[in-house]
Amino acid sequence: MILPVYHIDDFDGLHSRADWYCSDLATHLVSHRFVNSPHKHDFFVNVLFTQGSGTHTIDFNTYPVAPGYLFTMQPGQMHNWSLSPDCDGWVFFHSAAFFTEYNKVSLRDFPMFASFRSYPLTVLNGESAITCGNWFRDIFAQVSGNERWQKPRVAALATLLYADISVHHREDQQQPGNGYASYLEHFARELEQHFRTEKSVNAYASKLKLSEKHLNRVVRSSLGRSVSELISERVVLEARRLLVHSGMNVSEIAIELGFADVSYFVRFFRKHSGVTPLEFRGRHLGA
């Protein structure tokens, strides 16, 4: 199955604008039933559950769904869910350009968006769940607000929402130290753009005008991993996505990801996944 990539304008109705969308979850699920099947987005996604249960799978990791569970996803992530009929809550989408236009703070400054490895689930309890729910409700109220001030108000509310989520995000996620945040953001951008063609630490260090040692120190102190580990993880993640949700064979996937030698790609994938590409595909497609 080829994985669809949805854009904000695919979510029509009264709750949609050109570069942002907000709705109560129950209405959203009924109006856009296609979101139940695996798919990607080209925008940032926030989903807060206020009732119901189920599971939510994001890039091959499955998480429980319960009241107070808030999921944050970045463009390009693959996800689908299985939800109980009584699920409700809030959804809020926006493009990267929309947020950047009205904010000096970067989305990468928030721990849930710091890298492709950021943990997507924040568990909220009591007052924190009520507070974040109110931010969603305030954003939703802007749908029918004054058009002149609509965008800056939504962007400001999104920043407040993200600040509150950050406070309650997983405490075991290390945050960039002083002077490292800009380097980490630059590295994340370069990795996302070039992981198919550049797989050496030196290549990324050169792009950031740092030594390999310095770049490794930045990444390890912030994310607890080496640069080479992050490069490999990003390549393997894309390989998994293509194996399950594209019609490409293993040779085509190897070429797509910059491997001239298919045998080397198979060894690389097995080293980092514990199974061969075909075994991985078979497990997830039921072959």
Side-chain angles (χ1 to χ4, degrees), residues 26-51:
T27 300
H28 174 76
L29 293 174
V30 170
S31 302
H32 307 97
R33 296 188 183 278
F34 56 80
V35 300
N36 292 318
S37 300
H39 61 278
K40 295 182 184 181
H41 311 99
D42 66 354
F43 47 83
F44 288 83
V45 177
N46 303 272
V47 183
L48 172 63
F49 288 90
T50 57
Q51 68 178 49

Side-chain angles (χ1 to χ4, degrees), residues 75-97:
Q77 288 192 287
M78 177 185 73
H79 82 116
N80 63 287
W81 47 36
S82 177
L83 304 176
S84 62
D86 62 333
C87 271
D88 203 359
W90 295 98
V91 293
F92 170 50
F93 310 154
H94 65 79
S95 67

Side-chain angles (χ1 to χ4, degrees), residues 31-224:
S31 302
H32 307 97
R33 296 188 183 278
F34 56 80
V35 300
N36 292 318
S37 300
H39 61 278
K40 295 182 184 181
H41 311 99
D42 66 354
F43 47 83
F44 288 83
V45 177
N46 303 272
V47 183
L48 172 63
F49 288 90
T50 57
Q51 68 178 49
S53 60
T55 58
H56 189 184
T57 300
I58 303 172
D59 281 334
F60 305 102
N61 295 308
T62 299
Y63 308 89
V65 166
Y69 280 34
L70 193 156
F71 293 90
T72 47
M73 287 170 282
Q74 305 178 53
Q77 288 192 287
M78 177 185 73
H79 82 116
N80 63 287
W81 47 36
S82 177
L83 304 176
S84 62
D86 62 333
C87 271
D88 203 359
W90 295 98
V91 293
F92 170 50
F93 310 154
H94 65 79
S95 67
F98 167 74
F99 189 87
T100 303
E101 182 179 357
Y102 293 99
N103 282 286
K104 291 184 179 180
V105 65
S106 168
L107 284 163
R108 296 291 182 190
D109 291 337
F110 299 107
M112 55 280 189
F113 299 135
S115 80
F116 76 93
R117 295 183 66 253
S118 296
Y119 196 69
L121 171 61
T122 302
V123 178
L124 304 172
N125 297 295
E127 287 299 319
S128 62
I130 294 172
T131 299
C132 285
N134 286 337
W135 291 131
F136 279 94
R137 190 173 286 104
D138 288 345
I139 292 170
F140 179 72
Q142 302 310 310
V143 171
S144 57
N146 185 302
E147 288 193 12
R148 178 182 178 186
W149 300 108
Q150 192 178 68
K151 283 188 176 183
R153 285 177 65 87
V154 171
L157 290 167
T159 303
L160 293 169
L161 170 65
Y162 289 157
D164 270 347
I165 297 172
S166 298
V167 170
H168 302 286
H169 198 64
R170 276 175 45 153
E171 294 181 357
D172 60 340
Q173 293 257 318
Q174 293 174 280
Q175 300 305 306
N178 290 335
Y180 282 179
S182 61
Y183 286 133
L184 188 65
E185 179 181 357
H186 190 180
F187 170 66
R189 286 200 310 268
E190 294 293 341
L191 178 59
E192 192 61 30
Q193 184 175 353
H194 299 291
F195 71 87
R196 293 175 179 83
T197 56
E198 298 284 5
K199 297 178 177 61
S200 71
V201 176
N202 180 63
Y204 292 97
S206 297
K207 291 177 185 297
L208 272 66
K209 297 181 171 57
L210 299 174
S211 67
E212 291 185 34
K213 183 177 180 180
H214 191 180
L215 179 57
N216 263 309
R217 184 163 59 246
V218 168
V219 172
R220 189 174 290 281
S221 67
S222 302
L223 300 175

